[in-house]
């Protein structure tokens, strides 16, 4: 793994909704004060380390909304702020509207709170375009642009259009919901959002579940092919992956015994006397599960009276959006519930709940983390939740225990905590009791395991991991880059052909030897192509294999007067000149009975599409169906089939041009071609093809061979030609081998 200072990025440009500093004016002077939040500390720490160690990346720029004057304030060496201005009218509908009332509730699984308003979406597009406008004046070749969070879904795609070669990353800090929720958004919005996100080279999420949800949404909405988290976006690759954000572990761990923290701890100890402390801190938001948490605490007091007078729950709520009615209501409800519980259980000497509605300074926060016996972190949904990680990092000498919601992203890594479902009052109450009663040895052992993980995968590893992935995608992208056949490559190919004694040709049929036709039976070989093939075959040193997904009867009819080897049904059937058809292998085909009714069902629902049953496969053709309707259906069908295919690992859904074919994985164009290659000592091999099924073929051609794909798509082929008609120019090289 590379260190962050070994990258080839000239500068790192962070783009997030907010700048990491705000301007505080005192009398005539103004100065910048750092905002709190995970990303802010991650990037500032990165900048500190970059500056102290030196390295190839010289500068970090951060673009986001904030006061204009911040541009001129030098907050740190090598760190620059670039304020983006969004007029109030747009911002209200963009941030207050689409971000907070559409995306936030929907992505946190609150569909009933989600507002669908076209003017919000229009403002969202406008705001993303304003960010682009700002960046156009900033980005230069060699920069790495890292876009953050749900406010800027469209930005990677917008940047990609203007700067096709720039490295772009995107990271989502909140959950990505299941497709069933995501599809509640109007289809146009979904398409625009996902096209924006896939404009990045790497798209990151906190957990693998969010990542899989995203991939499914991309498949179903945009229909892009995805293999091993690689999304093929026209002529580019986009990698989606999980990068659980970490914390600056040492900063929190070491702060537990700083002088400032010790002062706070002494104060707290006095206030607590011998009582145990339960603690929570969250921003005021309905996703945090305050009311469920309070209900569980009340039930805990009911169920476990032995804890009366011995425990105090300090619930800190950070002020947020309380100018909005729904948030004001939530705050009122929290306060009423706190009052009711305190009213029910308090005595002269004991109040079970201490509620605070305010932010607290860092050292006070660390002191409370450090001294509390239970960290009670129970959101109904949370992308990650850094507080739970910070709580674990701050357990030293005196060990507390974390009770954590399984619906927070952090639960994936913190599985030695006590995991609960926040809607389960009984389970949460029992968990509080269990955490309070847990023997020290057990707490220590659980905490140590979590601390080891958090200190290893910290916020620096997180950024490094992300940058490494961008590097990897760059390399893969280079390998798959589209290289068009030029006159140099043509001459080289002909030279190799002339020098060779034993030559093997693999030629795909539809889309390669003939153009794609509206009806399959209309795709017949023209006479000039037939003549070219005959001329090549006439040379005894040449073997021509026509390798196709077609049925054997069709190929036999087309090639009845040409002595080519014919391979039908992607390799299942083979016919050598003047011999009979043979099965490449015997396979059990009983699965066809299971798959065919599914495809029939889709053919019934999608007018113009049809099902073809071949000897060893079943195919859904949708070339003649209405384009938009068929595109929707094909994503759905692939999804339905993926469930069936999971139960039969020997089956595969192969996507061709406007066809989806279900066949066995035991053979494909590649396995058959590689068997043929090993039959003779060929010194010239060429493979020509045009669609996905030919990728299997391209992969098995040895390095000394040549592979050419029709169409400018990412491919395993070494070269591409722009259209099918150019295939004739290639074949001419072998029929008239004089210099170009
Ligand atoms: C998004 C996602 C994801 C909070 N109050 C005080 C204070 N804080 C600090 C905490 C912690 C951070 O703010 C809050 O952590 P979150 O995890 O909730 O982060 P957000 O940025 O709000 O939320 C979330 C996160 O992004 C990172 O990807 O985990 O799921 O919603 O660091 O310590 N710090 C101090 N006083 C406070 O009163 N000193």
């Amino acid at each position: 793994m590379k260190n962050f200072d070994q990258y080839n990025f000239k500068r790192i440009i962070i783009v997030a909704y907010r700048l990491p500093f705000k301007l505080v004016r005192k009398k005539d002077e103004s100065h910048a004060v750092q905002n709190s939040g995970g990303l802010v500390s991650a990037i500032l720490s990165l900048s500190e380390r970059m500056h102290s160690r030196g390295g190839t990346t010289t500068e970090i720029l951060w673009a986001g909304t904030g006061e204009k004057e911040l541009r001129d304030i030098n907050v740190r060496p090598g760190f620059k702020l670039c304020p983006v201005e969004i007029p109030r009218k747009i911002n209200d509908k963009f941030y207050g509207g689409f971000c907070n009332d559409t995306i936030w509730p929907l992505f946190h699984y609150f569909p009933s709170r989600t507002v669908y308003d076209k003017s919000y979406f229009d403002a969202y597009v406008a705001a993303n375009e304003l960010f682009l406008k700002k960046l156009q004046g900033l980005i230069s070749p060699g920069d790495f642009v890292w876009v953050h969070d749900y406010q800027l879904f469209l930005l990677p795609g917008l940047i990609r259009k203007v700067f096709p070669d720039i490295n772009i990353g995107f990271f989502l800090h909140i959950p990505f919901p299941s497709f069933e929720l995501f599809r509640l958004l109007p289809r146009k919005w979904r398409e625009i959002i996902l096209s924006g996100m896939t404009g990045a080279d790497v798209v990151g999420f906190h957990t693998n579940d969010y990542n899989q949800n995203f991939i499914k949404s991309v498949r179903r909405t945009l229909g892009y092919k995805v293999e091993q988290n690689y999304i093929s976006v026209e002529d580019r690759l986009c990698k989606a992956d999980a990068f659980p954000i970490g914390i600056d572990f040492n900063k929190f761990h070491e702060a537990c015994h700083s002088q400032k923290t010790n002062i706070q701890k002494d104060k707290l100890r006095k206030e607590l006397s011998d009582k145990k402390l339960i603690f929570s801190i969250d921003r005021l938001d309905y996703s945090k599960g305050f009311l469920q948490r309070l209900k569980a605490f009340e039930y805990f007091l009911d169920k476990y009276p032995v804890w009366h007078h011995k425990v105090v729950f300090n619930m800190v709520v950070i002020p947020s959006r309380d100018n909005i009615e729904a948030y004001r209501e939530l705050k009122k409800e929290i306060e009423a519930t706190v009052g009711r519980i305190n009213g029910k259980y308090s005595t002269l000497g004991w109040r079970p709940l201490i509620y605070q509605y305010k932010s607290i300074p860092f050292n006070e926060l660390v002191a409370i983390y450090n001294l509390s016996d239970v960290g009670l972190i129970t959101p109904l949904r949370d992308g990650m939740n850094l507080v739970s990680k910070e709580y674990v990092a701050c357990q030293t000498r005196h060990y507390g225990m974390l009770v954590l919601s399984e619906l927070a992203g952090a639960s994936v890594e913190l599985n030695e905590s006590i995991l609960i479902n926040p809607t389960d009052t009984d389970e949460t109450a029992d968990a509080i009791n269990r955490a309070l009663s847990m023997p020290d040895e057990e707490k220590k052992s659980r905490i140590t395991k979590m601390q080891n993980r958090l200190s290893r995968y910290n916020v620096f590893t997180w950024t490094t991991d992300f940058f490494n992935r961008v590097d990897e995608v760059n390399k893969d992208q280079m390998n798959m880059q589209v290289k068009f056949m030029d006159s140099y490559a043509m001459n080289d190919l002909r030279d190799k052909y002339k020098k060779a004694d034993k030559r093997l040709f693999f030629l795909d049929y539809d889309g390669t030897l003939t153009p794609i036709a509206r009806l399959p039976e209309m795709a017949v070989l023209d006479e000039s192509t037939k003549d070219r093939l005959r001329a090549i075959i006439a040379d005894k040193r040449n073997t021509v294999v026509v390798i196709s997904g077609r049925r054997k009867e069709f190929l036999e009819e087309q090639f009845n007067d040409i002595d080519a080897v014919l391979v039908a049904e992607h390799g299942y059937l083979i016919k050598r000149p003047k011999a009979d058809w043979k099965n490449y292998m015997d396979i059990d085909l009983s699965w066809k009975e299971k798959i065919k009714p599914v495809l029939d069902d889709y053919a019934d629902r999608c007018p113009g599409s049809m099902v073809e049953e071949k000897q060893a496969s079943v195919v859904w053709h949708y070339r003649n169906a209405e384009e938009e309707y068929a595109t929707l259906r094909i994503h759905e069908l692939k999804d339905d089939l993926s469930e069936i295919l999971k139960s039969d690992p020997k089956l595969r859904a192969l996507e061709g041009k406007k066809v989806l074919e279900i066949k066995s994985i035991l053979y494909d164009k590649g396995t058959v071609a590689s068997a043929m290659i090993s039959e003779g000592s060929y010194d010239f091999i060429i493979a020509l093809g045009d669609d996905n099924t030919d990728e299997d073929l391209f992969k098995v051609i040895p390095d000394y061979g040549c592979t050419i794909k029709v169409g400018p798509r990412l491919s395993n082929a070494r070269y591409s030609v722009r259209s099918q008609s150019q295939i004739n120019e290639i074949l001419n090289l072998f029929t008239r081998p004089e210099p170009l």
Side-chain angles (χ1 to χ4, degrees):
M1 193 190 246
K2 279 186 187 174
N3 287 324
F4 63 84
D5 45 14
Q6 293 170 313
Y7 291 93
N8 298 323
F9 310 140
K10 205 175 73 193
R11 300 180 307 176
I12 295 171
I13 303 181
I14 305 289
V15 197
Y17 173 64
R18 260 198 200 96
L19 285 174
F21 289 85
K22 57 177 164 290
L23 203 68
V24 174
R25 293 187 180 90
K26 269 193 193 152
K27 290 185 186 155
D28 308 337
E29 271 190 26
S30 11
H31 59 276
V33 175
Q34 188 186 320
N35 293 328
S36 66
L39 179 67
V40 176
S41 36
I43 301 302
L44 290 179
S45 313
L46 176 71
S47 130
E48 244 165 57
R49 298 215 329 182
M50 268 171 42
H51 190 71
S52 60
R53 291 201 190 164
T56 40
T57 306
T58 52
E59 199 175 39
I60 296 184
L61 260 74
W62 187 313
T65 60
E67 294 87 351
K68 270 205 293 280
E69 296 87 330
L70 285 168
R71 190 189 41 214
D72 307 316
I73 297 186
N74 187 5
V75 282
R76 273 169 202 218
F79 191 90
K80 270 202 191 129
L81 300 174
C82 310
V84 178
E85 270 178 77
I86 301 184
R88 173 93 191 273
K89 249 175 100 178
I90 296 181
N91 199 53
D92 285 350
K93 292 196 165 199
F94 152 61
Y95 186 65
F98 199 72
C99 295
N100 287 335
D101 289 343
T102 309
I103 296 293
W104 180 272
L106 190 65
F107 281 42
H108 284 88
Y109 290 73
F110 290 91
S112 59
R113 286 179 178 264
T114 306
V115 178
Y116 304 92
D117 182 328
K118 187 174 176 300
S119 69
Y120 286 3
F121 186 71
D122 292 345
Y124 186 80
V125 176
N128 273 256
E129 281 167 354
L130 285 173
F131 269 85
L132 173 70
K133 214 166 141 202
K134 179 81 198 180
L135 290 171
Q136 280 183 290
L138 289 178
I139 297 175
S140 58
D143 288 345
F144 169 58
V145 185
W146 197 6
V147 181
H148 288 264
D149 230 357
Y150 62 103
Q151 299 89 349
L152 300 173
F153 279 142
L154 315 191
L155 196 54
L158 293 173
I159 301 173
R160 176 69 61 206
K161 279 199 194 116
V162 186
F163 301 95
D165 299 324
I166 214 86
N167 283 137
I168 308 171
F170 179 84
F171 191 84
L172 183 65
H173 291 261
I174 64 172
F176 196 95
S178 72
F179 177 63
E180 284 310 318
L181 271 187
F182 183 66
R183 76 184 318 179
L184 292 176
L185 291 176
R187 191 145 52 85
K188 264 260 114 37
W189 298 5
R190 268 189 280 147
E191 284 171 4
I192 294 176
I193 288 174
L194 295 175
S195 305
M197 293 172 81
T198 49
D201 298 293
V202 176
V203 178
F205 302 90
H206 284 311
T207 72
N208 194 39
D209 278 349
Y210 306 159
N211 187 33
Q212 292 311 322
N213 290 343
F214 167 72
I215 285 177
K216 183 165 179 171
S217 294
V218 168
R219 273 207 187 107
R220 290 287 295 263
T221 311
L222 300 177
Y224 290 156
K225 201 175 119 204
V226 188
E227 256 175 320
Q228 290 170 354
N229 291 349
Y230 273 105
I231 307 169
S232 302
V233 186
E234 285 152 19
D235 59 349
R236 280 190 315 106
L237 282 179
C238 164
K239 171 118 194 194
D241 217 336
F243 306 86
I245 194 169
I247 55 167
D248 188 344
F249 181 87
N250 290 342
K251 176 176 148 194
F252 280 90
H253 198 65
E254 282 156 19
C256 291
H257 303 291
S258 75
Q259 210 188 350
K260 278 187 184 165
T261 308
N262 283 337
I263 298 171
Q264 294 297 333
K265 284 201 310 199
D266 287 344
K267 244 172 76 186
L268 195 59
R269 273 198 204 97
K270 268 192 215 128
E271 283 163 7
L272 278 174
S273 155
D274 56 352
K275 284 191 272 307
K276 298 240 183 203
L277 178 61
I278 303 171
F279 176 64
S280 75
I281 179 166
D282 330 64
R283 202 169 46 73
L284 178 69
D285 195 89
Y286 48 83
S287 64
K288 300 294 182 182
F290 293 109
L291 300 172
Q292 289 79 356
R293 190 181 308 164
L294 287 169
K295 195 169 157 204
F297 181 64
E298 181 180 10
Y299 188 57
F300 157 79
L301 292 176
D302 256 353
K303 192 168 174 184
Y304 300 100
V306 337
W307 289 110
H308 290 196
H309 304 277
K310 293 185 187 140
V311 74
V312 167
F313 176 17
N314 180 195
M315 188 164 98
V316 180
V317 179
I318 316 288
S320 170
R321 306 186 73 203
D322 50 12
N323 54 338
I324 290 169
E325 182 58 27
Y327 283 70
R328 262 205 309 270
E329 277 302 310
L330 174 64
K331 181 169 175 263
K332 267 201 224 149
E333 245 185 296
I334 294 172
E335 285 165 3
T337 314
V338 169
R340 195 177 52 71
I341 297 174
N342 271 341
K344 188 166 158 192
Y345 296 99
S346 292
T347 60
L348 265 183
W350 176 59
R351 203 155 40 111
L353 259 164
I354 311 285
Y355 161 74
Q356 289 165 291
Y357 186 68
K358 61 175 192 186
S359 296
I360 48 181
F362 176 73
N363 290 97
E364 193 180 331
L365 178 65
V366 172
I368 310 183
Y369 280 155
N370 186 247
L371 285 190
S372 51
D373 299 277
V374 181
L376 188 57
I377 316 290
T378 61
L380 295 171
R381 282 287 160 179
D382 214 332
M384 173 55 80
N385 191 295
L386 296 176
V387 167
S388 57
K389 292 189 168 181
E390 293 163 5
Y391 176 76
V392 170
C394 288
Q395 301 312 301
T396 55
R397 294 183 208 156
H398 157 274
Y399 287 95
M401 189 31 55
L402 176 66
V403 174
L404 178 62
S405 163
E406 62 188 12
L407 301 173
S411 66
V412 179
E413 291 159 277
L414 301 179
N415 45 33
E416 287 85 4
S417 63
I418 304 179
L419 293 176
I420 52 102
N421 184 316
T423 60
D424 189 337
T425 310
D426 211 0
E427 184 184 44
T428 313
D430 289 347
I432 298 173
N433 177 54
R434 198 170 149 217
L436 287 167
S437 324
M438 192 176 277
D440 282 349
E441 269 316 298
E442 185 177 347
K443 284 192 279 188
K444 188 174 173 187
S445 134
R446 285 169 178 248
I447 292 283
T448 313
K449 280 190 190 130
M450 292 191 276
Q451 286 188 340
N452 286 343
R453 207 170 299 132
L454 292 180
S455 67
R456 260 199 323 271
Y457 199 88
N458 57 31
V459 72
F460 309 108
T461 344
W462 176 69
T463 44
T464 309
D465 201 14
F466 197 95
F467 296 161
N468 270 321
R469 215 56 53 86
V470 175
D471 239 26
E472 260 170 48
V473 175
N474 267 337
K475 278 193 205 114
D476 291 335
Q477 183 94 34
M478 298 270 241
N479 289 339
M480 293 192 79
Q481 204 127 46
V482 179
K483 279 188 226 97
F484 288 105
M485 279 299 274
D486 53 13
S487 58
Y488 176 81
M490 298 277 256
N491 276 332
D492 185 53
L493 187 61
R494 193 200 352 247
D495 283 352
K496 285 192 175 131
Y497 174 80
K498 282 207 291 199
K499 281 186 203 139
D501 293 320
K502 207 163 164 24
R503 307 147 176 159
L504 184 57
F505 290 72
F506 290 107
L507 308 175
D508 166 54
Y509 185 76
D510 292 279
T512 306
L513 286 179
T514 61
I516 298 281
R518 197 174 58 77
L519 293 172
E521 56 272 25
M522 285 162 67
V524 292
L525 271 184
D526 65 31
E527 279 310 313
S528 64
T529 309
K530 280 189 177 181
D531 288 344
R532 285 186 189 93
L533 293 176
R534 282 195 199 100
I536 295 173
I537 292 170
D539 188 327
K540 290 283 164 273
R541 289 170 293 185
N542 297 343
T543 303
V544 171
V545 182
V546 175
I547 188 161
S548 164
R550 290 273 193 161
R551 292 153 175 266
K552 68 181 186 349
E553 293 79 10
F554 178 85
L555 291 186
E556 209 165 352
E557 199 184 318
Q558 293 302 310
F559 293 89
N560 63 355
D561 49 357
I562 299 174
D563 278 343
V565 180
L566 303 181
V567 176
E569 297 204 17
H570 304 291
Y572 182 63
L573 295 157
I574 302 172
K575 181 186 180 307
R576 302 200 188 251
K578 312 209 167 46
D580 286 333
W581 284 96
K582 278 199 178 136
N583 285 4
Y584 175 65
M585 57 169 50
D586 287 323
I587 47 170
D588 173 17
L589 295 169
S590 56
W591 55 266
K592 277 168 62 185
E593 285 159 32
K594 229 175 12 184
I595 299 283
K596 186 155 181 299
V598 181
L599 299 195
D600 283 339
D601 187 33
Y602 273 83
D604 289 343
R605 284 158 55 201
C606 186
S609 73
M610 54 161 274
V611 177
E612 180 191 12
E613 188 171 346
K614 297 188 195 169
Q615 213 164 309
S617 66
V618 200
V619 196
W620 188 55
H621 292 264
Y622 57 99
R623 173 165 302 277
N624 295 315
E626 204 228 306
E627 169 103 29
E628 201 171 340
Y629 191 61
T631 312
L632 270 181
R633 288 281 168 257
I634 184 78
H635 305 332
E636 216 175 284
L637 171 59
K638 279 195 281 186
D639 217 53
D640 281 355
L641 284 173
S642 70
E643 291 304 313
I644 307 178
L645 301 190
K646 260 188 222 152
S647 63
D648 192 341
K650 289 206 189 67
L651 287 183
R652 168 181 172 199
L654 201 64
E655 219 181 329
K657 289 195 171 144
K658 309 282 183 189
V659 293
L660 190 72
E661 179 151 9
I662 321 304
K663 62 177 272 298
S664 162
I665 54 161
L666 297 176
Y667 65 89
D668 56 37
K669 287 187 179 179
T671 49
V672 176
S674 103
M676 289 185 169
I677 292 169
S678 61
E679 278 168 15
S681 43
Y682 296 100
D683 50 1
F684 177 91
I685 302 176
I686 184 165
L688 310 182
D690 75 313
D691 76 9
N692 279 339
T693 63
D694 299 310
E695 294 298 318
D696 296 323
L697 170 62
F698 296 146
K699 278 187 218 158
V700 300
I701 305 300
D703 285 347
Y704 65 86
C706 178
T707 46
I708 303 175
K709 167 134 176 156
V710 179
R713 289 264 164 167
L714 283 180
S715 168
N716 291 296
R718 188 172 323 152
Y719 293 107
S720 291
V721 288
R722 287 180 207 275
S723 68
Q724 186 273 332
S725 59
Q726 278 180 278
I727 288 294
N728 288 333
E729 292 168 35
I730 310 271
L731 294 181
N732 285 345
L733 294 176
F734 316 121
T735 54
R736 295 186 253 123
E738 67 278 357
L740 285 173

